[in-house]
Amino acid sequence: GMRNIKTVLAVFICVMVFALMGPEFNPLFAAIAAVLTMGPSIENSIETGWNRILGTIFGGAAGLLGIFAANLIPYEFAYVAIIPLGIMVLIYLCNNFNKAGAIVITCVMFLSVMTTYPQDAGSYMLAMLRLLETAFGIIVAFLINRFIKVPECTEKARDEGSETEKELITMAEKPGSDHQKFKVSSIL
């Protein structure tokens, strides 16, 4: 339905903008954020979008902190221990701050920062870029959901649909009719 169309449009805009920016820019996280943020209504998108923005900031900051911690530990694979511990702490904190709706994007953002870039000091700028990419996808999804409305069905169209359904049921109930009885609204 309309949510499908709006989600596709949001992903298209993310991919197009990043393609125009050049090959060094990757639309992956913007497109993922757009898909995760698109809700069935603007009210849902506002709440979801706010959770996604908070989760993006929180997960990105936690990822930067995780990279910093991994650089302090003298073992090459310190991040292997930091990642699951970080996920555990992030889920705990989101729940305690009554932001359960932000858990998924917080963890995705943390994982993307911790696993996508090399664990060195130069990765901080790349992690900030990842945060901006994700925020862009959230904003695109929010704006599309805000300005593209689901077409409303008029009373007349609704009444005509009901009459057509009644006629089909009546046809199916006639003696000698080989039509099977069903409700049209059950397949819509």
Side-chain angles (χ1 to χ4, degrees):
M2 196 63 177
R3 183 176 178 185
N4 187 5
I5 292 168
K6 292 191 295 186
T7 302
V8 168
L9 181 59
V11 169
F12 172 76
I13 289 171
C14 289
V15 172
M16 180 59 75
V17 166
F18 279 78
L20 292 172
M21 289 169 51
E24 63 276 5
F25 294 96
N26 187 337
L28 175 67
F29 286 92
I32 288 171
V35 169
L36 291 174
T37 303
M38 186 60 67
S41 67
I42 185 62
E43 293 80 15
N44 181 269
S45 280
I46 290 172
E47 182 181 340
T48 302
W50 183 243
N51 281 333
R52 299 297 187 255
I53 289 171
L54 288 175
T56 298
I57 294 168
F58 195 44
L64 290 172
L65 186 63
I67 291 171
F68 180 75
N71 288 330
L72 290 178
I73 300 170
Y75 299 104
E76 183 179 353
F77 296 105
Y79 68 95
V80 173
I82 291 171
I83 290 172
L85 290 173
I87 293 292
M88 181 179 68
V89 169
L90 290 172
I91 292 171
Y92 175 80
L93 290 174
C94 284
N95 280 324
N96 280 327
F97 287 122
N98 294 320
K99 289 295 175 194
I103 290 173
V104 171
I105 198 72
T106 299
C107 292
V108 166
M109 191 65 200
F110 175 74
L111 286 168
S112 70
V113 169
M114 288 297 296
T115 61
T116 306
Y117 302 115
Q119 307 301 314
D120 59 27
S123 62
Y124 295 118
M125 267 319 273
L126 294 172
M128 291 301 292
L129 181 62
R130 176 61 39 85
L131 211 143
L132 293 174
E133 293 166 353
T134 304
F136 179 77
I138 291 167
I139 291 166
V140 167
F142 171 78
L143 290 174
I144 286 174
N145 217 16
R146 169 73 175 92
F147 293 108
I148 298 179
K149 305 282 187 212
V150 175
E152 300 225 1
C153 194
T154 64
E155 283 296 321
K156 182 181 177 191
R158 198 173 296 128
D159 291 342
E160 286 174 3
S162 296
E163 287 302 314
T164 304
E165 185 175 341
K166 288 176 189 170
E167 288 173 25
L168 287 170
I169 291 170
T170 304
M171 271 181 45
E173 291 175 339
K174 285 185 182 175
S177 172
D178 60 347
H179 299 289
Q180 293 183 357
K181 185 177 174 180
F182 68 95
K183 288 189 109 188
V184 174
S185 60
S186 67
I187 60 172
L188 296 178

